[in-house]
Amino acid sequence: MSAENYTLRNVNIERPSWINQNRIVDNAGCLQILELPFHFNRIYYMHGVPDGAERGFHAHKSLHQIFLMPKGSLSLELVTPTSSQVFELESGSPRALHVPPGYWRVLSKFSRDAIGLVLASEHYDKDDYIRSFDEYVNWYNEVMRHES
Ligand code: TYD
Protein backbone atom coordinates (compact mmCIF):
# COMPACT_ATOMS: atom_id res chain seq x y z
CA MET A 1 0.00 0.00 0.00
CA SER A 2 1.38 3.44 -0.85
CA ALA A 3 1.32 6.41 1.49
CA GLU A 4 -1.08 8.13 -0.90
CA ASN A 5 -3.61 5.32 -0.55
CA TYR A 6 -3.41 5.33 3.17
CA THR A 7 -6.55 6.56 4.91
CA LEU A 8 -7.13 6.81 8.60
CA ARG A 9 -10.66 6.17 9.70
CA ASN A 10 -12.45 9.09 11.39
CA VAL A 11 -9.34 11.11 12.01
CA ASN A 12 -7.65 14.29 10.87
CA ILE A 13 -4.17 13.31 11.97
CA GLU A 14 -1.53 14.19 9.40
CA ARG A 15 -0.52 11.21 7.28
CA PRO A 16 2.99 9.89 6.78
CA SER A 17 4.32 10.75 3.36
CA TRP A 18 7.26 9.98 1.15
CA ILE A 19 9.55 12.85 0.18
CA ASN A 20 11.47 12.41 -3.05
CA GLN A 21 15.14 13.17 -2.89
CA ASN A 22 16.78 14.89 -5.80
CA ARG A 23 19.79 12.99 -7.07
CA ILE A 24 22.53 14.62 -9.11
CA VAL A 25 25.08 12.23 -10.54
CA ASP A 26 28.20 13.25 -12.40
CA ASN A 27 31.75 12.00 -12.91
CA ALA A 28 32.63 13.01 -9.36
CA GLY A 29 29.90 10.88 -7.77
CA CYS A 30 26.39 11.36 -6.47
CA LEU A 31 24.77 14.27 -4.65
CA GLN A 32 21.50 13.47 -2.91
CA ILE A 33 19.28 16.40 -1.92
CA LEU A 34 16.32 16.49 0.42
CA GLU A 35 14.08 19.55 0.87
CA LEU A 36 12.36 19.37 4.24
CA PRO A 37 8.78 20.28 5.15
CA PHE A 38 9.86 21.57 8.59
CA HIS A 39 12.82 23.14 10.36
CA PHE A 40 14.74 20.55 12.34
CA ASN A 41 16.61 20.89 15.62
CA ARG A 42 18.14 17.46 16.01
CA ILE A 43 19.76 14.66 14.04
CA TYR A 44 20.38 11.15 15.29
CA TYR A 45 21.16 7.87 13.64
CA MET A 46 20.88 4.19 14.45
CA HIS A 47 23.56 1.69 13.49
CA GLY A 48 25.05 -1.55 14.71
CA VAL A 49 21.59 -3.01 15.26
CA PRO A 50 21.89 -6.77 15.89
CA ASP A 51 20.07 -9.28 13.71
CA GLY A 52 16.42 -9.59 14.70
CA ALA A 53 16.47 -6.59 17.05
CA GLU A 54 13.48 -4.24 17.09
CA ARG A 55 13.38 -0.61 18.19
CA GLY A 56 10.75 2.04 18.72
CA PHE A 57 7.63 0.90 20.57
CA HIS A 58 6.60 4.45 21.29
CA ALA A 59 4.71 7.41 19.81
CA HIS A 60 5.42 11.13 19.83
CA LYS A 61 2.84 13.72 20.77
CA SER A 62 4.20 16.61 18.73
CA LEU A 63 7.50 15.64 17.09
CA HIS A 64 7.88 15.55 13.30
CA GLN A 65 10.58 13.26 11.94
CA ILE A 66 12.16 12.37 8.61
CA PHE A 67 13.59 8.86 8.29
CA LEU A 68 16.12 8.04 5.60
CA MET A 69 18.74 5.39 5.00
CA PRO A 70 22.22 6.55 3.96
CA LYS A 71 23.11 2.86 4.11
CA GLY A 72 21.25 -0.46 4.31
CA SER A 73 17.57 -1.02 4.98
CA LEU A 74 14.92 -1.41 7.66
CA SER A 75 11.18 -1.79 8.04
CA LEU A 76 9.14 0.90 9.77
CA GLU A 77 5.63 0.02 10.92
CA LEU A 78 3.35 2.92 11.81
CA VAL A 79 0.35 2.01 13.87
CA THR A 80 -2.73 3.81 15.13
CA PRO A 81 -5.61 2.22 17.05
CA THR A 82 -7.42 1.79 13.72
CA SER A 83 -4.65 1.19 11.20
CA SER A 84 -1.21 -0.17 10.49
CA GLN A 85 1.12 0.46 7.61
CA VAL A 86 4.61 -0.85 6.89
CA PHE A 87 7.17 1.29 5.08
CA GLU A 88 10.31 -0.29 3.66
CA LEU A 89 13.23 2.13 3.87
CA GLU A 90 16.37 1.42 1.87
CA SER A 91 19.45 3.27 0.75
CA GLY A 92 18.90 2.45 -2.93
CA SER A 93 15.64 4.37 -2.96
CA PRO A 94 15.87 8.15 -3.47
CA ARG A 95 13.13 8.95 -0.98
CA ALA A 96 12.68 9.64 2.69
CA LEU A 97 9.68 9.25 4.96
CA HIS A 98 8.03 12.10 6.85
CA VAL A 99 6.50 10.71 10.05
CA PRO A 100 4.17 13.27 11.65
CA PRO A 101 3.29 13.10 15.35
CA GLY A 102 0.71 10.60 16.60
CA TYR A 103 1.99 7.24 15.31
CA TRP A 104 3.08 4.25 17.33
CA ARG A 105 6.17 2.90 15.57
CA VAL A 106 8.11 -0.35 15.40
CA LEU A 107 11.43 -0.53 13.55
CA SER A 108 12.59 -3.99 12.48
CA LYS A 109 14.46 -5.98 9.85
CA PHE A 110 17.59 -3.85 10.10
CA SER A 111 20.18 -5.01 7.61
CA ARG A 112 23.59 -5.59 9.18
CA ASP A 113 25.03 -2.49 7.52
CA ALA A 114 22.00 -0.27 8.24
CA ILE A 115 22.48 3.36 9.14
CA GLY A 116 19.06 4.84 9.89
CA LEU A 117 19.17 8.62 9.94
CA VAL A 118 16.44 10.66 11.61
CA LEU A 119 15.92 14.41 11.32
CA ALA A 120 13.73 15.61 14.17
CA SER A 121 11.83 18.89 14.46
CA GLU A 122 12.62 19.37 18.18
CA HIS A 123 15.35 18.78 20.71
CA TYR A 124 15.05 15.61 22.78
CA ASP A 125 12.13 15.80 25.21
CA LYS A 126 11.27 12.69 27.18
CA ASP A 127 7.81 14.14 27.90
CA ASP A 128 6.96 14.06 24.19
CA TYR A 129 7.16 10.24 24.25
CA ILE A 130 4.32 7.82 24.95
CA ARG A 131 5.92 4.47 25.77
CA SER A 132 2.90 2.39 26.79
CA PHE A 133 0.56 1.23 24.02
CA ASP A 134 -2.49 1.44 26.31
CA GLU A 135 -1.57 5.00 27.18
CA TYR A 136 -1.09 5.74 23.48
CA VAL A 137 -4.59 4.47 22.63
CA ASN A 138 -6.09 6.67 25.36
CA TRP A 139 -4.08 9.69 24.18
CA TYR A 140 -5.05 9.09 20.55
CA ASN A 141 -8.75 8.80 21.34
CA GLU A 142 -8.62 11.96 23.42
CA VAL A 143 -6.83 13.93 20.68
CA MET A 144 -9.20 12.63 18.03
CA ARG A 145 -12.23 13.45 20.14
CA HIS A 146 -11.13 17.09 20.07
CA GLU A 147 -10.23 17.05 16.37
CA SER A 148 -13.44 15.50 15.03
P1 TYD B 1 14.46 5.87 21.62
O1 TYD B 1 13.94 7.12 21.00
O2 TYD B 1 13.50 5.05 22.42
O3 TYD B 1 15.11 4.96 20.48
P2 TYD B 1 14.46 3.92 19.46
O4 TYD B 1 13.09 4.38 19.11
O5 TYD B 1 15.40 3.94 18.29
O6 TYD B 1 14.43 2.59 20.11
O7 TYD B 1 15.74 6.25 22.48
C1 TYD B 1 16.54 5.27 23.11
C2 TYD B 1 17.19 5.91 24.33
O8 TYD B 1 18.00 7.00 23.94
C3 TYD B 1 16.17 6.45 25.33
O9 TYD B 1 16.66 6.21 26.63
C4 TYD B 1 16.16 7.94 25.07
C5 TYD B 1 17.56 8.21 24.56
N1 TYD B 1 17.61 9.32 23.58
C6 TYD B 1 18.18 10.53 23.95
O10 TYD B 1 18.67 10.71 25.09
N2 TYD B 1 18.23 11.55 23.02
C7 TYD B 1 17.72 11.39 21.77
O11 TYD B 1 17.78 12.34 20.93
C8 TYD B 1 17.13 10.13 21.42
C9 TYD B 1 16.55 9.91 20.04
C10 TYD B 1 17.09 9.12 22.36
Side-chain angles (χ1 to χ4, degrees), residues 42-46 49 54-58 60 63 65 67 105-107 110 118 120 122-126 129 131:
R42 181 165 49 112
I43 296 176
Y44 62 91
Y45 49 98
M46 297 158 275
V49 178
E54 296 184 326
R55 305 185 61 98
F57 302 100
H58 64 257
H60 285 284
L63 189 72
Q65 293 165 301
F67 285 75
R105 80 280 313 279
V106 179
L107 296 104
F110 285 79
V118 182
E122 309 300 335
H123 291 161
Y124 176 69
D125 174 8
K126 69 173 174 39
Y129 281 75
R131 289 195 180 274

Short mmCIF file of all heavy atoms in Angstrom, two decimals, residues 42-46 49 54-58 60 63 65 67 105-107 110 118 120 122-126 129 131, ligand 1:
data_model
loop_
_atom_site.label_atom_id
_atom_site.label_comp_id
_atom_site.label_asym_id
_atom_site.label_seq_id
_atom_site.Cartn_x
_atom_site.Cartn_y
_atom_site.Cartn_z
N ARG A 42 17.37 18.60 15.50
CA ARG A 42 18.14 17.46 16.01
C ARG A 42 18.32 16.43 14.91
O ARG A 42 17.42 16.22 14.10
CB ARG A 42 17.38 16.85 17.20
CG ARG A 42 18.03 15.68 17.88
CD ARG A 42 17.36 15.44 19.24
NE ARG A 42 15.91 15.40 19.12
CZ ARG A 42 15.18 14.31 19.30
NH1 ARG A 42 15.74 13.18 19.67
NH2 ARG A 42 13.87 14.35 19.17
N ILE A 43 19.49 15.80 14.92
CA ILE A 43 19.76 14.66 14.04
C ILE A 43 20.24 13.52 14.92
O ILE A 43 21.03 13.74 15.85
CB ILE A 43 20.90 14.98 13.05
CG1 ILE A 43 20.50 16.10 12.11
CG2 ILE A 43 21.30 13.75 12.24
CD1 ILE A 43 21.62 16.51 11.17
N TYR A 44 19.76 12.31 14.66
CA TYR A 44 20.38 11.15 15.29
C TYR A 44 20.34 9.99 14.31
O TYR A 44 19.61 10.04 13.30
CB TYR A 44 19.71 10.80 16.62
CG TYR A 44 18.26 10.42 16.56
CD1 TYR A 44 17.87 9.10 16.39
CD2 TYR A 44 17.27 11.39 16.70
CE1 TYR A 44 16.53 8.74 16.38
CE2 TYR A 44 15.93 11.03 16.67
CZ TYR A 44 15.57 9.72 16.50
OH TYR A 44 14.24 9.37 16.46
N TYR A 45 21.17 9.01 14.55
CA TYR A 45 21.16 7.87 13.64
C TYR A 45 21.40 6.58 14.40
O TYR A 45 22.06 6.55 15.43
CB TYR A 45 22.16 8.03 12.49
CG TYR A 45 23.56 8.44 12.85
CD1 TYR A 45 24.57 7.48 12.96
CD2 TYR A 45 23.88 9.77 13.05
CE1 TYR A 45 25.86 7.86 13.27
CE2 TYR A 45 25.18 10.15 13.37
CZ TYR A 45 26.15 9.19 13.48
OH TYR A 45 27.43 9.56 13.80
N MET A 46 20.79 5.53 13.86
CA MET A 46 20.88 4.19 14.45
C MET A 46 21.82 3.36 13.60
O MET A 46 21.74 3.41 12.36
CB MET A 46 19.50 3.52 14.44
CG MET A 46 18.46 4.22 15.27
SD MET A 46 16.79 3.78 14.71
CE MET A 46 16.55 4.94 13.40
N VAL A 49 22.75 -2.32 14.69
CA VAL A 49 21.59 -3.01 15.26
C VAL A 49 21.74 -4.52 15.00
O VAL A 49 21.90 -4.94 13.85
CB VAL A 49 20.28 -2.47 14.63
CG1 VAL A 49 19.07 -3.22 15.17
CG2 VAL A 49 20.15 -0.97 14.89
N GLU A 54 14.53 -5.19 17.43
CA GLU A 54 13.48 -4.24 17.09
C GLU A 54 13.60 -3.03 17.99
O GLU A 54 13.97 -3.15 19.16
CB GLU A 54 12.10 -4.88 17.24
CG GLU A 54 11.88 -6.04 16.28
CD GLU A 54 10.48 -6.62 16.36
OE1 GLU A 54 9.92 -6.64 17.47
OE2 GLU A 54 9.98 -7.06 15.32
N ARG A 55 13.29 -1.86 17.44
CA ARG A 55 13.38 -0.61 18.19
C ARG A 55 12.03 0.12 18.11
O ARG A 55 11.14 -0.31 17.39
CB ARG A 55 14.49 0.28 17.63
CG ARG A 55 15.85 -0.39 17.55
CD ARG A 55 16.91 0.61 17.10
NE ARG A 55 17.03 1.72 18.04
CZ ARG A 55 17.95 1.80 18.99
NH1 ARG A 55 18.86 0.85 19.10
NH2 ARG A 55 18.00 2.83 19.80
N GLY A 56 11.97 1.24 18.79
CA GLY A 56 10.75 2.04 18.72
C GLY A 56 9.84 1.73 19.88
O GLY A 56 10.18 1.98 21.03
N PHE A 57 8.65 1.22 19.57
CA PHE A 57 7.63 0.90 20.57
C PHE A 57 7.28 2.15 21.38
O PHE A 57 7.26 2.13 22.61
CB PHE A 57 8.08 -0.25 21.49
CG PHE A 57 8.40 -1.50 20.73
CD1 PHE A 57 9.72 -1.83 20.43
CD2 PHE A 57 7.39 -2.33 20.26
CE1 PHE A 57 10.03 -2.96 19.71
CE2 PHE A 57 7.69 -3.47 19.53
CZ PHE A 57 9.02 -3.79 19.26
N HIS A 58 7.07 3.23 20.65
CA HIS A 58 6.60 4.45 21.29
C HIS A 58 5.92 5.33 20.23
O HIS A 58 6.01 5.04 19.03
CB HIS A 58 7.75 5.21 21.97
CG HIS A 58 8.80 5.71 21.03
ND1 HIS A 58 10.04 5.10 20.87
CD2 HIS A 58 8.81 6.78 20.19
CE1 HIS A 58 10.75 5.77 19.98
NE2 HIS A 58 10.04 6.78 19.55
N HIS A 60 5.10 9.76 19.43
CA HIS A 60 5.42 11.13 19.83
C HIS A 60 4.16 11.98 19.75
O HIS A 60 3.37 11.86 18.82
CB HIS A 60 6.50 11.71 18.92
CG HIS A 60 7.86 11.18 19.21
ND1 HIS A 60 8.60 11.59 20.29
CD2 HIS A 60 8.61 10.25 18.58
CE1 HIS A 60 9.75 10.95 20.31
NE2 HIS A 60 9.78 10.11 19.28
N LEU A 63 6.27 15.64 17.88
CA LEU A 63 7.50 15.64 17.09
C LEU A 63 7.26 15.21 15.64
O LEU A 63 6.61 14.20 15.39
CB LEU A 63 8.51 14.67 17.73
CG LEU A 63 9.92 14.69 17.18
CD1 LEU A 63 10.65 15.98 17.61
CD2 LEU A 63 10.71 13.47 17.66
N GLN A 65 9.30 13.91 12.24
CA GLN A 65 10.58 13.26 11.94
C GLN A 65 10.65 12.90 10.45
O GLN A 65 9.63 12.61 9.82
CB GLN A 65 10.72 11.96 12.74
CG GLN A 65 10.86 12.18 14.24
CD GLN A 65 10.63 10.90 15.00
OE1 GLN A 65 9.55 10.31 14.89
NE2 GLN A 65 11.60 10.47 15.77
N PHE A 67 12.74 10.05 8.25
CA PHE A 67 13.59 8.86 8.29
C PHE A 67 14.19 8.64 6.91
O PHE A 67 13.47 8.66 5.91
CB PHE A 67 12.77 7.61 8.64
CG PHE A 67 12.36 7.52 10.10
CD1 PHE A 67 11.34 8.31 10.60
CD2 PHE A 67 13.01 6.64 10.95
CE1 PHE A 67 10.97 8.23 11.94
CE2 PHE A 67 12.64 6.54 12.29
CZ PHE A 67 11.63 7.35 12.79
N ARG A 105 5.27 3.44 16.59
CA ARG A 105 6.17 2.90 15.57
C ARG A 105 6.98 1.71 16.08
O ARG A 105 7.35 1.66 17.25
CB ARG A 105 7.10 3.96 15.00
CG ARG A 105 8.35 4.35 15.82
CD ARG A 105 8.08 5.31 16.93
NE ARG A 105 7.25 6.43 16.55
CZ ARG A 105 7.72 7.52 15.92
NH1 ARG A 105 9.00 7.63 15.66
NH2 ARG A 105 6.92 8.50 15.64
N VAL A 106 7.23 0.79 15.14
CA VAL A 106 8.11 -0.35 15.40
C VAL A 106 9.10 -0.44 14.24
O VAL A 106 8.68 -0.50 13.07
CB VAL A 106 7.32 -1.67 15.52
CG1 VAL A 106 8.28 -2.83 15.76
CG2 VAL A 106 6.29 -1.59 16.64
N LEU A 107 10.38 -0.40 14.57
CA LEU A 107 11.43 -0.53 13.55
C LEU A 107 12.01 -1.93 13.64
O LEU A 107 12.37 -2.39 14.73
CB LEU A 107 12.53 0.51 13.79
CG LEU A 107 12.10 1.96 13.65
CD1 LEU A 107 11.96 2.61 15.00
CD2 LEU A 107 13.11 2.73 12.83
N PHE A 110 16.40 -4.64 10.41
CA PHE A 110 17.59 -3.85 10.10
C PHE A 110 18.58 -4.74 9.36
O PHE A 110 18.91 -5.84 9.83
CB PHE A 110 18.26 -3.37 11.38
CG PHE A 110 17.55 -2.23 12.09
CD1 PHE A 110 16.42 -2.47 12.87
CD2 PHE A 110 18.02 -0.94 11.98
CE1 PHE A 110 15.78 -1.43 13.53
CE2 PHE A 110 17.39 0.11 12.63
CZ PHE A 110 16.26 -0.14 13.41
N VAL A 118 17.71 9.99 11.28
CA VAL A 118 16.44 10.66 11.61
C VAL A 118 16.69 12.15 11.81
O VAL A 118 17.58 12.54 12.58
CB VAL A 118 15.81 10.06 12.90
CG1 VAL A 118 14.48 10.73 13.19
CG2 VAL A 118 15.64 8.55 12.76
N ALA A 120 14.85 15.40 13.25
CA ALA A 120 13.73 15.61 14.17
C ALA A 120 13.47 17.11 14.34
O ALA A 120 14.41 17.92 14.41
CB ALA A 120 14.04 14.97 15.52
N GLU A 122 12.36 18.77 16.86
CA GLU A 122 12.62 19.37 18.18
C GLU A 122 13.81 18.70 18.86
O GLU A 122 14.19 17.58 18.52
CB GLU A 122 11.40 19.18 19.10
CG GLU A 122 10.07 19.61 18.50
CD GLU A 122 10.02 21.07 18.14
OE1 GLU A 122 10.78 21.88 18.74
OE2 GLU A 122 9.26 21.42 17.22
N HIS A 123 14.36 19.39 19.84
CA HIS A 123 15.35 18.78 20.71
C HIS A 123 14.71 17.62 21.47
O HIS A 123 13.49 17.53 21.57
CB HIS A 123 15.90 19.80 21.71
CG HIS A 123 16.76 20.85 21.06
ND1 HIS A 123 17.04 22.06 21.65
CD2 HIS A 123 17.39 20.86 19.86
CE1 HIS A 123 17.81 22.77 20.85
NE2 HIS A 123 18.03 22.07 19.75
N TYR A 124 15.55 16.76 22.01
CA TYR A 124 15.05 15.61 22.78
C TYR A 124 14.21 16.09 23.96
O TYR A 124 14.61 16.98 24.71
CB TYR A 124 16.23 14.79 23.29
CG TYR A 124 15.80 13.64 24.17
CD1 TYR A 124 15.12 12.55 23.64
CD2 TYR A 124 16.07 13.66 25.54
CE1 TYR A 124 14.71 11.51 24.44
CE2 TYR A 124 15.67 12.60 26.35
CZ TYR A 124 14.99 11.53 25.79
OH TYR A 124 14.58 10.51 26.59
N ASP A 125 13.03 15.47 24.10
CA ASP A 125 12.13 15.80 25.21
C ASP A 125 11.44 14.51 25.63
O ASP A 125 10.58 14.01 24.92
CB ASP A 125 11.11 16.84 24.76
CG ASP A 125 10.06 17.13 25.83
OD1 ASP A 125 10.20 16.62 26.97
OD2 ASP A 125 9.07 17.83 25.51
N LYS A 126 11.83 13.99 26.77
CA LYS A 126 11.27 12.69 27.18
C LYS A 126 9.75 12.78 27.39
O LYS A 126 9.04 11.79 27.26
CB LYS A 126 11.97 12.14 28.42
CG LYS A 126 11.74 12.88 29.70
CD LYS A 126 12.37 12.11 30.86
CE LYS A 126 12.30 12.87 32.19
NZ LYS A 126 11.09 13.61 32.47
N TYR A 129 7.31 11.68 24.55
CA TYR A 129 7.16 10.24 24.25
C TYR A 129 5.94 9.66 24.96
O TYR A 129 5.63 10.03 26.08
CB TYR A 129 8.35 9.45 24.79
CG TYR A 129 9.62 9.49 23.97
CD1 TYR A 129 10.43 10.61 23.96
CD2 TYR A 129 10.03 8.37 23.24
CE1 TYR A 129 11.63 10.62 23.24
CE2 TYR A 129 11.23 8.38 22.53
CZ TYR A 129 12.01 9.51 22.53
OH TYR A 129 13.19 9.51 21.83
N ARG A 131 5.21 5.75 25.87
CA ARG A 131 5.92 4.47 25.77
C ARG A 131 5.07 3.25 26.15
O ARG A 131 5.55 2.13 26.10
CB ARG A 131 7.19 4.50 26.62
CG ARG A 131 8.27 5.41 26.03
CD ARG A 131 9.60 5.15 26.66
NE ARG A 131 10.66 6.00 26.14
CZ ARG A 131 11.39 5.72 25.06
NH1 ARG A 131 11.16 4.63 24.37
NH2 ARG A 131 12.33 6.55 24.66
P1 TYD B 1 14.46 5.87 21.62
O1 TYD B 1 13.94 7.12 21.00
O2 TYD B 1 13.50 5.05 22.42
O3 TYD B 1 15.11 4.96 20.48
P2 TYD B 1 14.46 3.92 19.46
O4 TYD B 1 13.09 4.38 19.11
O5 TYD B 1 15.40 3.94 18.29
O6 TYD B 1 14.43 2.59 20.11
O7 TYD B 1 15.74 6.25 22.48
C1 TYD B 1 16.54 5.27 23.11
C2 TYD B 1 17.19 5.91 24.33
O8 TYD B 1 18.00 7.00 23.94
C3 TYD B 1 16.17 6.45 25.33
O9 TYD B 1 16.66 6.21 26.63
C4 TYD B 1 16.16 7.94 25.07
C5 TYD B 1 17.56 8.21 24.56
N1 TYD B 1 17.61 9.32 23.58
C6 TYD B 1 18.18 10.53 23.95
O10 TYD B 1 18.67 10.71 25.09
N2 TYD B 1 18.23 11.55 23.02
C7 TYD B 1 17.72 11.39 21.77
O11 TYD B 1 17.78 12.34 20.93
C8 TYD B 1 17.13 10.13 21.42
C9 TYD B 1 16.55 9.91 20.04
C10 TYD B 1 17.09 9.12 22.36
#
